[in-house]
Amino acid sequence: MFAQDHEFDKHDLIRMWIALGFIQPSLDQEETMEDIGERYFDVLVKKSFFDKFYKYGGYKNLSYYKMHDFLHKLAQSIFVQECLRVEYDTKLPSKIPETLRHLSVQTTNLNVLRKIEKFKHLHSLFLFDEDSNQDLCSALIEIFKASRCLRLLYIRIDRLKMIPKEIRYLKHLRYLKIEKAYVTMLPRSLSNLYHLQFFIFNGWMSSRPVVDFLPSNINNLSNLHYLELSGNYMSSICGIGKLNSLQELNMFRLRNEMGYRIDELKHLNDLCKLGIKCLENLKDAEEARNAQLCEKKRLTDLTLCWSNTYSRNINLDENVLDNLHPPKFLKNLKIEIYMGARSAIWMNNVNLLSNIKKIEEIKLIDCKEWETLPPFGQLPFLKILILYDLPKVKWLESKFNGNDKYRAFPLLEVLHIGGLEALEDWFEAGVAAEDGCLFPCLINLVLDRCPKLKELPSLPPKLKSLCIGTMGWKTLNFGCNSNPIPLEKLAVFDCPNITSLPLDDEIARLAALRFLTIRNCPNLISLGRYREVETANNCHLILNNLWISDPSVLLMEPLRSITSLKELRIEHNDEVVSFPNEAEQWFLKVRYSLSELQFSSLKSLQSLPSSLESLSSLQKLYIYWAPMLRELPNLPPSLERLTISGCHPELKENYGEDGGSDRHKIARIPHISIHP
C-alpha cells in the first residue's frame, strides 16, 4: 500500500493490523493486541522483512523501518488479487478482481477517484496527494457512501479543507488517520463511528484553536484505544473518562469544572501512557487520589506537570505528589514544574521506590525548590536520567538509611544535567560508589550550567558522547590511565574559562572520535600541552564532522593535520572578517574529503576563503546570516547545492536568477537557493 522506501512507524503499522483483524485478542488477556503486534513485528525484523534505521531525536535515537525493494516488489506480485496501488497518472486497471480488499491511490485526479465507489468490498483505502482539488469533497462523499465495508481509512492530502459528514456511512471503520489537511471542524457524525479504535489527526492548525473543532459527544466512542490530535484539542474533550478503552492520554489538562477534573481518570484502567497537566488546579491532596494511578496496571509512561504560576502552595504540591503513587510496572516518569522542596514519600523510601521494578527513564525538569534527590542510583533498570533546572540540588546521590555505598547507576546509559546551580559533587560526603565504579554503562553524558561542579567523573568505559556547556572549568580531564576512550562525539561550548582541551595529548586514546564541536570558548589557546606526545605516537584524528566558532582552532594541532574531514561548520562569531593565509592553506588539506561546508551567523564576515575553488569533493555549500558578505569566490565544479540566506542585498542582486551580473559564475550548479 506504500511506495518504495516508505518510512514505517512500528506502532502505527501495528494499529493498522489490529484494525484489519490481523491480530486477535489473547485468550488469557495478559497481553494486549498491541503487545502481540509488537511480537509479530519484531519477528519480521529478525527475518529481515523490515530493515531498521535510526535518526537523531535529542537524547535518544528514534527508529523507523523500511522494506527492502526486492521484498516490496515480491509482496506486490503475490497479493495482486487483494491489493492495488495507483500512483499519479497511472490508470485503474480495466478489470478489477472481486477479491480486491486494499487500495492505495496517490492522486486527486477526479476521474480516478470517482471510480473507487465501484469497489464496494474494500477493507482499507489510502488516499495520498500533495494538493487538494476543489471538487474532491464530492468524490469523497460518493466513496464514503459506497465503501461501507471499510475498516481502515488513511487520508494524506495537502490542504484538504473538509471531511464530509457522509463519513457516518463507514460504520465498520476501526482506523482513521488524517494528515496535512486544513480542516477547521471535524464532522459531527464522526461520533457515530462506534467501532472506531484509532483516530489520528495531524493536520495544519490555525493560529487560534477552534472551540468546536471536535464533536461535543466524541466521548461516545467507547471503543477508542488511541486518540492523537494536533494542538491542544485533546484537552477540550469534556467527560473524557467515558472513553474507557483509551490506552494513551498524553495531555489531560485539569480544570476546576465538571468533566475536566482528575476523577475523569478513575476508570481509565487500560491506560499505558498518561500525561496530567495543570496539577495546581487540584483543591487538595485527597482529590489527587481520585486518579487511582495505582490501579492502572498497564501504565508504563507517566508525566506529572504543574503550570508556571507565581503563587503556589508548596505543601500542597508535596502532598499531591505523595498521592499520585504510580503502579509498580512504570517504565518512564517525568515530573515538571513541581515546587515542592522534597521528594514524594514513595520516592524517598528505598523499598517503595524499588517496587517500581522496571523504571527505565526519569526526567525532572524545572523543579526550583527540590533539594535532595531520591536514591536513583539504586534503581536496577534505570537507563535514562534527565535533570534540568533544579537549582538547589547539591548531590546526585545522598545518604539514605545509613548506607554509605551504592550500586552507582548500574545500567544508566544517558545522563543529562543542566541548571543544577548548587551541584557540588556526584555523591554526598561519605558516600562512595561500590567497587569505585560510577556509571559503568554510561554512553551519553551532557553537563550544562553547573558552576559549582569541580570536575568530570572518571570517564565511564563505554562513554560515546560527551557534551560540556557553560561550565567554569579551565580544561577537561580525561583521566590518567592508558585505556582507549571510546568517545565518538565531543562538544564543548559557551565555556569562557577554558584555555585548553587535551585532544593532542590523548590522541592515541581518541581513535574513535568522529564528531567534534568547539563553540564560544574565547580563551581557548591550546588543544594539547605536551607536543612530544604527538611526535612520538605519530597519530592523527580521523574526524568526519567539525563545528567551530573560531577559525583559529583549525591551526592548532591535532586539527592542523587533519585530512579526513567530511563536514565543517563555522558559526556564531561576530568578529571574523576574512580568513588569513594559513586558514586558506588549511582548506587545501581537506580538499579531497570535505563534502559539506556551512558558514552561519557571522556578523562581520566580508569574504570567504579563495581556496574553496580547490575543494574537489565539495558538494554542498550553505551560507546563512552573513549580512556583510557581498560576493562569492570561485566555486569548485563538484558543487551540487548552494544555499544562501541573510547575506548582503548586493549578493542576491548580483547572483540572482533574474538577470544578476554574476549569475553565470554559479549557473552550472544544479540546485541553487538565494534568499534575502
Side-chain angles (χ1 to χ4, degrees), residues 584-619:
E584 294 263 1
Q585 294 301 311
W586 181 91
F587 277 97
L588 295 177
K589 293 181 180 180
V590 294
R591 62 184 179 273
Y592 301 124
S593 64
L594 195 67
S595 61
E596 184 172 327
L597 178 58
Q598 178 173 314
F599 301 92
S600 65
S601 299
L602 303 173
K603 185 178 179 181
S604 304
L605 184 68
Q606 296 181 15
S607 64
L608 297 177
S610 60
S611 52
L612 294 191
E613 184 179 13
S614 301
L615 303 182
S616 57
S617 294
L618 192 65
Q619 297 176 355

Side-chain angles (χ1 to χ4, degrees), residues 12 50 68 133-134 143 153 156 161 204 224 336 344 349 360 382 389 457 463 524-525 569 589 606 618 650 659:
D12 199 33
F50 290 109
H68 192 279
N133 186 300
Q134 59 181 353
I143 292 170
L153 177 60
R156 185 184 175 93
K161 292 185 171 59
W204 303 107
L224 208 58
E336 194 168 357
N349 185 303
E360 297 178 358
L382 187 65
D389 295 320
L463 192 67
L524 182 68
I525 57 173
R569 292 190 186 185
K589 293 181 180 180
Q606 296 181 15
L618 192 65
E650 281 185 21

Side-chain angles (χ1 to χ4, degrees), residues 92-145:
L92 286 169
S94 55
K95 289 186 178 181
I96 303 295
E98 288 287 326
T99 53
L100 187 70
R101 294 294 179 267
H102 311 284
L103 176 64
S104 174
V105 180
Q106 189 154 356
T107 182
T108 46
N109 183 325
L110 295 178
N111 293 327
V112 174
L113 293 177
R114 286 187 177 122
K115 292 179 182 178
I116 296 176
E117 62 187 84
K118 297 178 182 178
F119 314 138
K120 301 184 184 299
H121 302 292
L122 286 179
H123 284 181
S124 64
L125 176 61
F126 299 79
L127 298 175
F128 301 93
D129 208 73
E130 295 304 315
D131 192 20
S132 62
N133 186 300
Q134 59 181 353
D135 296 324
L136 181 60
C137 191
S138 61
L140 287 177
I141 290 172
E142 297 308 315
I143 292 170
F144 292 165
K145 286 182 177 179

Side-chain angles (χ1 to χ4, degrees), residues 487-490 503 510-516 541-543:
L487 271 184
E488 296 174 2
K489 299 180 181 179
L490 173 63
L503 300 183
L510 291 170
L513 192 64
R514 295 294 179 268
F515 300 84
L516 176 63
L541 282 182
I542 309 176
L543 288 181

